[in-house]
Amino acid sequence: MSDSSPSRPAQILATLSCIASLGCATVFGSTSQSVSVVTDPPGAQIVDMPSGDSFVSPADLVLSKRDTHRIVISKDGYQTVEFGLRREVAARWWILGAFTLGIGIAIDGMTGALVDIKPAEIYVALEPTE
Amino acid sequence: MDLRRLYLTGCVLVVSGCASAKLTVVQALPSPEEKVTLSIEHVPPTEITPGQESEFRTILTSRLRESGVTVVSGGRSDVHDVNGKVAKFRPGVRALRYFIGFGAGRGSIDTTWEVRDESDRPIGICQIVGSITMGVFGGNFNDVLEKVGDRLGECLRGGM
C-alpha cells in the first residue's frame, strides 16, 4: 500500500495558508482607505497626523487604517480647522471573523483591516479670519 | 417570553437606542436652500470645547453637502445664513454605554436652527434633538451629529 499523505513541508504550508486566510478583511479588504477632503475655497493645505503628509485641497488622502488620524486644514486668511477621523469596526468583517474563532479578528485587528475610517468624505467651509 | 418576542424586543431596543435625531419644524422655509453660510453658537450653560465645535461644524457641512446643500465660507451677502443654537451637547460616556447600557452614558444634543435671509430676517426655524444609548461597542456620539446633519439637510432641502 503506497503512502499518499502529503509531505510534512506541504502540511506546514497548508496550515500556514489556512491561518493567514483567517484574516478575512486583510485578505479580501484593505489595510488603507481613501478619504476625500474638499474645502471652500479650494487650495487649502491639508496635513495628516501622525504621518505628517501634506496635501492641497481638493484631495483624496490614502490613509493607513492602523493609525488614528487627525487632519489639520489651513489657508492664509482663513481659520485653521482640525478634524479627527475615527476608526470604527466594520461589522461585516467582525461577523465573518467570528467564524475563525477570533484568530481572523486578531489578524485583521493587527493589520488595521478590521476597521473603516469615518467619515470617508469631508467637506469644510473655511471661515475668514477677522 | 418566547424567542420571537425576545428577538423582537431586542431589535426594538437596539433600534431605539442607536444614534438617532428627531426633526421638528417650527417655521417652514418658503423654498429649498442650495447654498448657505453656517454659524454655530452654544447657549450657556452648555459648554462645547473649540475642538468639539470644529468637529461638529465639519460633520454638519459634510452631511449637508451629501443632502444637496452646500455650505460656503462666511461673509457672503448673497446667500442665506443658517444659525444654530446648541442648548445641550453631551457626548456621554461610551464605555458606560458599552459595559452597562440601560441608559448609562447616554449622549444627547439639543439644537435650534434659524435660517435668515439677506436682510437678517428669520424665514425658517427647526429644532433637532438627537441621542444615543447603545451601538457597536457603545456607539460613537459623532453618529448622532451625523444624524443631526441629515435632519438639517431635510429641513433645508425639503423647503419644510
Side-chain angles (χ1 to χ4, degrees):
Chain A
M1 182 165 55
S2 61
D3 184 3
S4 60
S5 60
S7 63
R8 190 164 184 81
Q11 289 177 344
I12 293 174
L13 184 62
T15 303
L16 289 176
S17 298
C18 286
I19 292 174
S21 69
L22 291 174
C24 302
T26 303
V27 174
F28 300 107
S30 176
T31 56
S32 63
Q33 182 179 327
S34 176
V35 174
S36 168
V37 180
V38 177
T39 65
D40 176 51
Q45 185 187 38
I46 307 167
V47 177
D48 167 54
M49 305 294 184
S51 67
D53 293 338
S54 181
F55 310 82
V56 177
S57 68
D60 288 326
L61 286 56
V62 179
L63 305 175
S64 166
K65 290 184 180 182
R66 292 182 62 178
D67 301 318
T68 299
H69 297 270
R70 190 164 192 83
I71 58 173
V72 180
I73 303 170
S74 60
K75 186 177 173 68
D76 286 343
Y78 296 89
Q79 297 178 18
T80 298
V81 173
E82 287 191 34
F83 186 77
L85 302 173
R86 62 187 194 273
R87 299 163 69 236
E88 294 284 344
V89 173
R92 61 189 184 284
W93 300 124
W94 183 264
I95 292 170
L96 286 174
F99 293 98
T100 65
L101 303 177
I103 299 174
I105 292 175
I107 294 173
D108 294 337
M110 285 188 293
T111 63
L114 186 64
V115 301
D116 287 334
I117 296 176
K118 290 184 178 181
E121 294 182 1
I122 301 170
Y123 176 77
V124 177
L126 298 172
E127 288 296 303
T129 53
E130 295 179 7
Chain B
M1 185 182 288
D2 58 38
L3 282 177
R4 274 185 301 179
R5 285 184 185 178
L6 192 61
Y7 175 73
L8 185 62
T9 303
C11 288
V12 169
L13 282 174
V14 170
V15 171
S16 61
C18 289
S20 63
K22 182 185 172 186
L23 165 66
T24 303
V25 176
V26 177
Q27 177 183 348
L29 274 172
S31 60
E33 300 285 346
E34 292 184 354
K35 275 189 183 179
V36 297
T37 56
L38 181 68
S39 56
I40 301 172
E41 54 189 84
H42 62 274
V43 179
T46 299
E47 293 183 356
I48 305 178
T49 65
Q52 287 174 328
E53 186 172 329
S54 177
E55 293 210 7
F56 184 31
R57 182 186 172 80
T58 303
I59 290 171
L60 284 180
T61 54
S62 298
R63 300 304 283 194
L64 284 174
R65 192 163 192 249
E66 289 186 23
S67 299
V69 180
T70 301
V71 177
V72 296
S73 293
R76 288 179 58 165
S77 59
D78 58 332
V79 298
H80 295 164
D81 179 60
V82 176
N83 176 257
K85 289 184 173 57
V86 182
K88 184 195 293 183
F89 189 94
R90 293 180 190 159
V93 181
R94 186 170 187 173
L96 290 179
R97 291 195 296 265
Y98 180 49
F99 289 108
I100 299 177
F102 300 102
R106 181 174 185 264
S108 59
I109 183 171
D110 191 339
T111 60
T112 301
W113 302 89
E114 194 173 84
V115 182
R116 292 179 172 271
D117 63 9
E118 295 85 350
S119 55
D120 205 31
R121 184 174 59 93
I123 57 174
I125 303 173
C126 65
Q127 291 178 333
I128 303 173
V129 295
S131 67
I132 183 169
T133 57
M134 62 176 70
V136 178
F137 299 114
N140 193 304
F141 186 65
N142 281 1
D143 292 337
V144 180
L145 302 184
E146 291 180 354
K147 297 286 185 184
V148 170
D150 293 341
R151 297 293 90 76
L152 184 58
E154 289 174 15
C155 285
L156 300 176
R157 286 298 294 166
M160 293 198 264

